[in-house]
């Protein structure tokens, strides 16, 4: 079980509701959804359902309609963050509720801040009940607000507001004045807006406890004026006056930097209740000033100093209750990733410092991986963030570190890596970082993620790069992923001829110089897996001149079982497709394969597939086009196949054995098929017994054993297989009986 624990039952139920909305709902005349039948929902569950629909990406004008029923579905804390909701849908579905909180940040669909405020103000209950409102990233469109019944409609209409977030909006000085007239305003975020004056804050100086004013580039106030405003905010406990250090030059924010210096060096009577100060990204900050500020304020709990060059003072580590963002140590860097998840400039900065800290890490750190993943998810289109973050992911999951991570965390991380590969297809270093992280046997084998997408992305990458080291990793990843795909996914992949051409080109490249390395082995394995029970892929292989290449490889790598087995495995896949068998009727090729079957010094795995190819071709004597002497030699040798019985474990499908087990087949063909089934069953009876029964092979074996013309060795092997299956069935019944008694 994951260290994070299983998903909550309530989450699973809400997810099921989201997946079943079409079945649970009817449609109104305007196309919006309405629950066909609904009891009175617990209020908290309604909030959770709305949030779950948003995170699942299904909340829109149609689905939000279910919340028009505000008698059974009562919203209090609503979130439509990042969802495509129009002004009309918002007015009909959310405004009738007695909301206490609303997060409409970054909503698409044309919904503006003015639409939201006027809609909420139209509900008299909302005017007093709404306490928290987030409109980050929206166009406020304040000029469109009209007089409502002779009363001006604005933020000041929502008299109950205590927390308001307007970051990344077109907030103006005039709108800020309206905001600051709110009688109970305690927390305000005006980051990344175009306000030029902060004097309006003096109107809420007795109530404002938290002010976030990050990156105010249009601010036009002298240091003295700014300092005066801040000094009058007597109730302020948290002040964020940080700046984006990356996009600013030395002249930008100079007045703000000077104001910060005055705050740090000012007497404790200025902002006497302050317990949290964030000045990350500010220039000209000295460690001496930071020391003086911290020592003068015993109650300080947070100090933001990332990208200031002033986070190394020992006074910062001597305060037990003080949390710091900076670059001086691991704690500061991780704190920065936690607090600045939504700020690209600081996320990027913190990731760079984290990368330097974990270059030689040898201890699993799921907490760090979670922070890195959070940064990537918060900035999905940022090349700068993903460039560093993907390198951090590799360092945190390399070697055996991944095995100590929660599976769900690894799954989310890998899916984010795939998103990065898809988003930045032409950035070589990002692609390389993702490939390095993916090239982990544990991740590829045991972690759930979209393996088809991963295979396609890595194949696409492979087609554009020829770096030998990265080529080896890419081919290894493809080889493992192809084996993990469903039948449908493999079929879809096999339709792309370019994939076959790329892999064959790698085989040819390696075969030309006669090397035996992992790249060649992985490429052969990928081709083998790609053609397994895939006639389309097998035909593509032939049309891409794969047969000619593989004949050369068989001759060139004689005595190399790791190569021969993979080559013969693919040829066996072709032999199992009746309409493609003609392409195998090459006398030199079959004589070579027969020689491998006859040679007792050849590894059993090689002889297994050699026998499989010959048995398939010999099973249709009417289609045989080569010399009768060769067919006789093959059938004679197949009769002797049961003499060897030690083999590596093979995973097989029994469908190709059906035609070989028919009573009219030559004894050599039947014997190879029965021997092969006996071989795999003796290695793993529990795995194959149910398959044999389900796929009808058991009945074919019984018919063979009972037929008077069946060769004695075939009867013996058939009876042995049936006894094996019977013993396994009795053992299974015994175990079940024991469990029932317990």
């Amino acid at each position: 079980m994951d260290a994070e624990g299983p998903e909550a039952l309530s989450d699973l139920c809400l997810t099921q509701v989201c997946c079943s909305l079409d079945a649970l709902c009817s449609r109104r005349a305007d196309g919006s959804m309405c629950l066909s039948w609904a009891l009175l929902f617990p209020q908290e569950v309604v909030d959770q359902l709305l949030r779950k629909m948003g995170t699942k990406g299904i909340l829109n004008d149609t689905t939000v309609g279910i919340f028009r029923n505000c008698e059974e579905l009562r919203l209090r804390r609503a979130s439509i963050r990042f969802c495509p909701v129009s002004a009309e849908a918002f007015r009909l579905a959310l405004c009738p509720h007695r909301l206490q909180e609303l997060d409409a940040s970054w909503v698409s669909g044309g919904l503006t801040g003015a639409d939201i405020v006027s809609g909420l103000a139209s509900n008299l209950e909302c005017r007093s009940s709404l306490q928290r409102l987030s409109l980050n990233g929206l166009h406020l469109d304040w000029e469109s607000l009209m007089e409502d019944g002779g009363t001006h409609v604005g933020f000041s209409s929502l008299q109950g507001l205590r927390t308001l977030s307007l970051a990344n909006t077109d907030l103006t000085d005039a709108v800020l004045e309206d905001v600051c007239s709110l009688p109970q305003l305690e927390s305000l975020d005006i980051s990344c807006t175009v306000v030029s004056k902060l004097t309006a804050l003096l109107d809420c100086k007795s109530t404002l406890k938290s002010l976030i004013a990050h990156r105010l580039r249009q601010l036009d106030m002298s240091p003295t004026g700014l300092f005066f405003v801040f000094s009058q905010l007597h109730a302020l406990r948290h002040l964020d006056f940080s700046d984006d250090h990356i996009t600013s030059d030395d002249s930008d924010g100079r007045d703000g930097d000077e104001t910060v210096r005055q705050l740090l060096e000012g007497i404790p009577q200025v902002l006497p209740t302050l317990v949290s100060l964030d000045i990350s990204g500010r220039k000209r900050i000295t460690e001496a000033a930071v020391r003086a500020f911290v020592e003068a304020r015993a109650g300080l709990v947070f100090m933001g100093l990332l990208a200031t060059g002033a986070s190394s003072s020992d006074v910062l580590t001597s305060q037990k209750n003080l949390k710091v963002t900076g670059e001086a140590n691991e704690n500061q860097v991780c704190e920065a990733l936690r607090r600045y998840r939504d700020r690209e400039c600081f996320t990027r900065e913190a990731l760079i410092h984290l990368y330097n800290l974990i270059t030689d890490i040898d201890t699993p750190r799921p907490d760090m991986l979670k922070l890195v993943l959070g940064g990537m998810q918060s900035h999905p289109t940022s090349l700068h963030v993903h460039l560093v973050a993907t390198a951090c992911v590799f360092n945190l999951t390399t070697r055996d570190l991944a095995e100590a991570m929660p599976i769900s965390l690894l799954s989310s991380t890998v899916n984010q890596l795939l998103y990065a590969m898809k988003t930045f297809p032409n950035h070589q270093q990002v692609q390389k970082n993702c490939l390095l992280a993916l090239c982990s046997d544990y991740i590829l084998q045991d972690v759930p993620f979209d393996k088809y997408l991963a295979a396609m992305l890595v194949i696409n990458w492979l087609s554009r790069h020829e770096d030998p080291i990265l080529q080896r990793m890419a081919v290894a990843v493809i080889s493992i992923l192809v084996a993990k795909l469903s039948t449908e996914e493999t079929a879809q992949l096999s339709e792309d001829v370019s994939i076959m051409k790329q892999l064959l080109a790698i085989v040819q490249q390696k075969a030309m110089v006669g090397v035996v390395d992992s790249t060649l082995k992985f490429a052969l394995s990928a081709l083998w897996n790609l053609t397994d029970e895939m006639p389309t892929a097998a035909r593509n292989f032939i049309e891409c001149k794969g047969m000619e290449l593989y004949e050369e490889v068989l001759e060139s790598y004689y005595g190399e079982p790791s190569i021969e087995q993979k080559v013969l495995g693919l040829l066996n896949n072709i032999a199992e497709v009746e309409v493609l068998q003609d392409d195998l009727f090459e006398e030199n090729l079959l004589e070579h394969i027969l020689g491998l079957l006859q040679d007792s010094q050849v590894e059993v795995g090689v002889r297994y597939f050699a026998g499989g190819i010959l048995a398939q071709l010999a099973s249709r004597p009417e289609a045989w086009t080569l010399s009768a002497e060769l067919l006789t030699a093959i059938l004679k040798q197949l009769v002797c196949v049961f003499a060897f019985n030690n083999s590596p474990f093979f995973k097989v499908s029994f469908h190709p054995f059906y035609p070989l087990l028919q009573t009219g087949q030559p004894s050599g063909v039947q014997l190879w098929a029965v021997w092969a089934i006996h071989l795999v069953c003796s290695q793993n009876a529990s795995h194959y017994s149910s398959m044999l029964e389900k796929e009808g092979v058991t009945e074919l074996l019984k018919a063979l054993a009972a037929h008077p013309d069946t060769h004695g060795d075939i009867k013996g092997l058939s009876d042995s297989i049936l006894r094996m299956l019977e013993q396994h069935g009795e053992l299974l019944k015994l175990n079940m009986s024991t469990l029932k008694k317990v």
Side-chain angles (χ1 to χ4, degrees), residues 455-558:
M456 289 300 299
L457 289 170
V458 177
I459 287 167
N460 289 337
W461 181 92
L462 186 62
S463 67
R464 302 191 303 270
H465 300 84
E466 295 183 357
D467 181 290
I469 296 175
L470 296 179
Q471 184 188 72
R472 175 180 59 80
M473 290 190 296
V475 174
V477 170
I478 293 168
S479 174
I480 295 173
L481 289 175
V482 169
K484 291 286 184 178
L485 298 180
S486 67
T487 302
E488 294 76 14
E489 289 171 334
T490 305
Q492 193 174 348
L493 200 66
S494 69
E495 292 175 1
D496 191 343
V497 180
S498 65
I499 297 172
M500 191 71 66
K501 288 180 178 178
Q502 287 177 50
L503 293 172
L504 285 172
I506 292 171
V507 173
Q508 186 172 36
Q509 178 188 27
K510 296 296 179 180
M512 285 176 65
V513 292
V515 298
V516 179
D517 62 9
S518 57
T519 303
L520 175 60
K521 293 177 183 178
F522 282 128
L524 292 171
S525 294
L527 288 163
W528 184 6
N529 289 326
L530 199 59
T531 55
D532 187 21
E533 296 192 34
M534 290 293 150
T536 301
R539 185 179 296 280
N540 287 343
F541 173 85
I542 294 169
E543 291 176 353
C544 292
K545 307 299 182 184
M547 284 298 304
E548 294 85 341
L549 175 60
Y550 267 42
E551 287 183 49
E552 294 176 10
V553 171
L554 268 182
E555 293 180 8
S556 303
Y557 288 89
Y558 182 78

Side-chain angles (χ1 to χ4, degrees), residues 268-289:
Q269 284 71 28
V270 176
L271 299 177
T273 61
L274 199 70
V275 296
S276 169
L277 177 64
D278 197 336
I279 53 174
S280 291
R282 288 290 174 186
K283 300 179 178 67
R284 293 173 285 278
I285 306 300
T286 66
E287 288 192 6

Side-chain angles (χ1 to χ4, degrees), residues 198-203 205 211 221-234 236 239 241 255 258-260 262-263 269-272:
L198 298 183
T199 49
L201 295 173
L202 296 174
D203 293 338
K205 64 181 181 181
L211 174 63
M221 294 181 70
S222 67
T224 304
L226 272 173
F227 182 77
F228 174 75
V229 171
F230 288 153
S231 67
Q232 296 301 303
L233 305 178
H234 303 304
L236 203 64
L239 173 60
F241 196 51
D255 290 341
E258 175 58 23
T259 304
V260 168
Q262 293 180 21
L263 280 174
Q269 284 71 28
V270 176
L271 299 177

Side-chain angles (χ1 to χ4, degrees), residues 508-650:
Q508 186 172 36
Q509 178 188 27
K510 296 296 179 180
M512 285 176 65
V513 292
V515 298
V516 179
D517 62 9
S518 57
T519 303
L520 175 60
K521 293 177 183 178
F522 282 128
L524 292 171
S525 294
L527 288 163
W528 184 6
N529 289 326
L530 199 59
T531 55
D532 187 21
E533 296 192 34
M534 290 293 150
T536 301
R539 185 179 296 280
N540 287 343
F541 173 85
I542 294 169
E543 291 176 353
C544 292
K545 307 299 182 184
M547 284 298 304
E548 294 85 341
L549 175 60
Y550 267 42
E551 287 183 49
E552 294 176 10
V553 171
L554 268 182
E555 293 180 8
S556 303
Y557 288 89
Y558 182 78
E560 289 287 351
S562 62
I563 303 299
E564 291 174 318
Q565 183 173 311
K566 293 174 173 59
V567 170
L568 292 174
L570 186 145
L571 297 181
N572 187 62
N573 290 340
I574 294 175
E576 291 172 355
V577 182
E578 187 174 302
V579 295
L580 300 179
Q581 288 179 351
D582 285 348
D583 290 277
L584 291 170
F585 285 122
E586 293 286 341
E587 193 138 351
N588 291 337
L589 173 63
L590 296 190
E591 286 178 351
H592 184 96
I593 294 173
L594 179 59
L596 293 172
L597 182 63
Q598 292 171 329
D599 190 346
S600 60
Q601 301 302 310
V602 172
E603 284 196 4
V604 176
V606 175
R607 299 174 74 189
Y608 175 93
F609 287 107
I613 295 167
L614 298 175
Q616 290 288 349
L617 298 180
S619 68
R620 297 176 60 231
E622 73 281 359
W624 187 264
T625 59
L626 302 179
S627 67
E629 293 79 5
L630 179 58
L631 177 59
T632 302
I634 289 172
L635 292 174
K636 181 179 179 181
Q637 186 58 39
L638 286 172
V639 173
C640 304
V641 75
F642 69 94
F644 54 96
N645 53 24
N646 293 317
S647 172
F649 174 67
F650 297 113

Side-chain angles (χ1 to χ4, degrees), residues 50 53-54 56-61 63-64 67 79-80 83-85:
L50 179 66
M53 289 169 65
K56 291 290 183 183
I58 63 169
L59 189 65
N60 51 46
D61 281 4
T63 57
V64 78
F67 296 99
S79 175
I80 56 173
C83 298
V85 176

